[in-house]
Amino acid sequence: MSTRSRILRLSRYKNAAIRLKSLNFVKVFSDNLGDATGVTASQVRKDFSIFGISGNRRGGYQVDELLVQLNKVLGKDKPQKFIVVGVGNLGRALINYPGFGKSEIRIVAGFDIDPAKYNRKADAPILPIDELAGFAKANEVELAIIAVPDFAAQGVFEKLIKAGIKGVLNFAPIRLKSDDNVTVHNLNLETEFENLIYFVNTKTSPTE
Amino acid sequence: MSTRSRILRLSRYKNAAIRLKSLNFVKVFSDNLGDATGVTASQVRKDFSIFGISGNRRGGYQVDELLVQLNKVLGKDKPQKFIVVGVGNLGRALINYPGFGKSEIRIVAGFDIDPAKYNRKADAPILPIDELAGFAKANEVELAIIAVPDFAAQGVFEKLIKAGIKGVLNFAPIRLKSDDNVTVHNLNLETEFENLIYFVNTKTSPTE
DNA sequence: TTTATTTTGTGATTTTATTCACGAAAAAAC
DNA sequence: GTTTTTTCGTGAATAAAATCACAAAATAAA
């Protein structure tokens, strides 16, 4: 019913609604949201109907109310605390990512094994990985990002489970062996690049 | 036939095969690859069959040959040059991302409007955005990454089209209006975070 | 050899996702 | 107040994707 791709679309509708609101839209139609996100109007309405999000016949959806409802479904009605494990290139970028500023996503700490990276004074402190479990429990953090190399990922993941983490966004290119109490989503940048390469190459070459 | 998610799976099979090879596997079975990537064995075989990748009945797939074939399908048999527009947090992380090191993905330059970021001496130089078209043509770059804020993304995209770019990986949270000669793939980090939040929250709360 | 076992490759089937199409509600026009 | 127009909400129809299931090939065992 509520699949991964359906929820991804809800996020996009939300982003589109935010943009339209900033353009002073008071109401939006399923057709507008479809245009802004690249799906059909009936897909938008079907997605909404599955989550009980309703508008007004002929009147569309009130933007403000729509945003409240979408944020509620997406769990953005309250702050969501994340920790990042692996303060390399990508980890650091996520910790400092300004795009989360307006959103309810809060990155509250980073963890690494390299003492050169520790920084207890920062807004989001960088701490030794041994302190992970203590920190997570003390601060009631349930969400984590794995941004370590592939060979370290499974070990980190097991530490996260012990620390009571319930959801993991994994940037390492391996499938993590998980017990069922932890939700794992994988996101691999190389894979995304390869995907683009494939579609560009096959469009260009007339031999396929 | 060859959809986005099918190609994403091929990339994962390739990553799994690389890992199994490093464990001295000489041949792999569809079952192995399924385990390593979280799909069924018959999905693996169906995906392969669509791209004419074949193995040996009872003998599985020779890892080396499989990698050659997967890399060929994925366009990884030759270097793929990318430029990055927007040298903020994320752009910088991508430029320095070590995960691309072994792969054929090459990030050859970054572009920004902020003179403080320019650096012509670096391995992947950071240049003013006005030089984008010239650079892309001189270096035969056809692939680009948009890592600028949402309000700047459409403008950057139009510059990329004029520069002859054929494929764009867009990290800005908007849908780019594209002519059909350019392939655009969107990847939004906030959206990925929200997706995880949703599934963690709905698993935890017994009300759904 | 012959028989048993394993694993691929793929058509048939099932499941899931998307689109269609139209009645119902609400507003606007007449 | 009646008609027309617009847009939602959703069951029905279609399309797409994943799984099943089994014949065929290849190897190993007897």
Side-chain angles (χ1 to χ4, degrees):
Chain A
M1 255 316 173
S2 54
T3 61
R4 190 170 147 62
S5 51
R6 175 162 280 130
I7 305 301
L8 287 172
R9 285 198 300 272
L10 288 190
S11 290
R12 289 199 222 106
Y13 303 150
K14 187 211 63 188
N15 287 335
I18 289 171
R19 243 171 311 119
L20 294 171
K21 181 177 153 79
S22 80
L23 263 45
N24 297 316
F25 278 49
V26 174
K27 61 186 180 187
V28 290
F29 303 123
S30 56
D31 197 61
N32 301 144
L33 293 170
D35 276 353
T37 57
V39 304
T40 63
S42 83
Q43 177 87 82
V44 175
R45 296 200 301 276
K46 175 76 66 169
D47 287 339
F48 284 179
S49 105
I50 280 163
F51 291 97
I53 295 174
S54 61
N56 317 300
R57 289 174 203 236
R58 193 176 180 136
Y61 304 83
Q62 296 294 119
V63 178
D64 282 327
E65 205 207 323
L66 179 63
L67 281 170
V68 170
Q69 298 207 68
L70 285 171
N71 280 326
K72 197 170 166 192
V73 171
L74 295 170
K76 300 295 276 319
D77 52 346
K78 51 183 181 291
Q80 301 285 347
K81 288 182 275 187
F82 281 81
I83 56 177
V84 172
V85 187
V87 187
N89 254 291
L90 183 62
R92 199 185 346 265
L94 291 171
I95 290 169
N96 298 316
Y97 194 57
F100 299 147
K102 311 148 212 161
S103 137
E104 292 289 345
I105 293 168
R106 303 284 151 71
I107 298 195
V108 295
F111 293 89
D112 208 290
I113 45 165
D114 178 1
K117 289 176 179 161
Y118 300 161
N119 178 0
R120 289 173 189 281
K121 302 284 167 61
D123 227 20
I126 314 299
L127 305 171
I129 210 158
D130 299 333
E131 298 183 20
L132 197 160
F135 184 96
K137 280 166 185 159
N139 293 276
E140 294 180 308
V141 181
E142 294 196 320
L143 299 163
I145 296 149
I146 294 182
V148 300
D150 55 358
F151 59 82
Q154 183 67 37
V156 164
F157 182 55
E158 281 156 24
K159 283 201 173 74
L160 289 170
I161 293 176
K162 287 211 186 84
I165 292 294
K166 291 283 175 281
V168 172
L169 188 57
N170 171 38
F171 282 87
I174 68 163
R175 186 162 95 102
L176 300 168
K177 277 276 169 202
S178 153
D179 71 79
D180 294 339
N181 298 324
V182 182
T183 304
V184 178
H185 283 207
N186 299 293
L187 180 52
N188 181 226
L189 292 178
E190 188 185 353
T191 296
E192 297 292 335
F193 277 65
E194 287 172 356
N195 205 256
L196 178 67
I197 290 167
Y198 172 84
F199 284 100
V200 170
N201 285 349
T202 53
K203 186 179 283 186
T204 312
S205 78
T207 49
E208 190 151 350
Chain B
M1 255 315 174
S2 54
T3 60
R4 190 171 147 63
S5 52
R6 176 161 280 130
I7 305 300
L8 287 171
R9 285 198 301 270
L10 288 191
S11 290
R12 289 199 222 107
Y13 303 151
K14 187 211 63 187
N15 287 336
I18 289 172
R19 243 170 311 118
L20 294 171
K21 181 177 152 79
S22 80
L23 261 47
N24 296 317
F25 278 49
V26 174
K27 61 186 180 186
V28 290
F29 303 123
S30 56
D31 197 60
N32 301 145
L33 293 170
D35 276 353
T37 57
V39 305
T40 63
S42 84
Q43 176 87 82
V44 175
R45 296 200 300 277
K46 173 79 58 166
D47 286 338
F48 284 179
S49 105
I50 280 163
F51 291 98
I53 295 174
S54 61
N56 317 300
R57 286 173 206 239
R58 194 178 180 136
Y61 304 84
Q62 295 293 118
V63 178
D64 282 326
E65 206 208 322
L66 179 62
L67 280 170
V68 170
Q69 298 208 66
L70 285 171
N71 281 325
K72 198 169 165 193
V73 171
L74 295 170
K76 301 293 278 318
D77 51 347
K78 50 182 182 293
Q80 301 285 347
K81 288 181 277 188
F82 281 81
I83 56 176
V84 172
V85 187
V87 187
N89 252 293
L90 183 61
R92 199 184 347 263
L94 292 171
I95 290 170
N96 298 317
Y97 194 58
F100 299 147
K102 310 149 211 160
S103 139
E104 291 290 345
I105 294 168
R106 302 284 152 72
I107 298 197
V108 294
F111 294 88
D112 208 290
I113 45 165
D114 178 2
K117 289 175 179 162
Y118 300 161
N119 178 0
R120 290 173 190 280
K121 303 282 166 62
D123 227 22
I126 313 300
L127 305 170
I129 209 157
D130 299 332
E131 299 182 21
L132 197 159
F135 184 96
K137 279 166 186 161
N139 294 276
E140 294 180 306
V141 181
E142 294 195 322
L143 300 163
I145 295 149
I146 294 181
V148 300
D150 55 357
F151 59 83
Q154 183 65 38
V156 163
F157 182 55
E158 281 156 24
K159 283 199 174 73
L160 289 171
I161 293 176
K162 287 210 186 84
I165 293 294
K166 292 283 174 280
V168 172
L169 188 56
N170 172 37
F171 282 87
I174 67 163
R175 185 162 97 101
L176 300 168
K177 275 277 168 201
S178 152
D179 72 79
D180 294 339
N181 298 323
V182 182
T183 305
V184 179
H185 283 207
N186 298 295
L187 180 51
N188 182 225
L189 292 179
E190 188 185 351
T191 296
E192 298 292 335
F193 277 66
E194 286 172 357
N195 205 255
L196 178 67
I197 291 168
Y198 172 85
F199 284 101
V200 171
N201 284 348
T202 52
K203 184 179 283 185
T204 312
S205 78
T207 49
E208 191 149 350

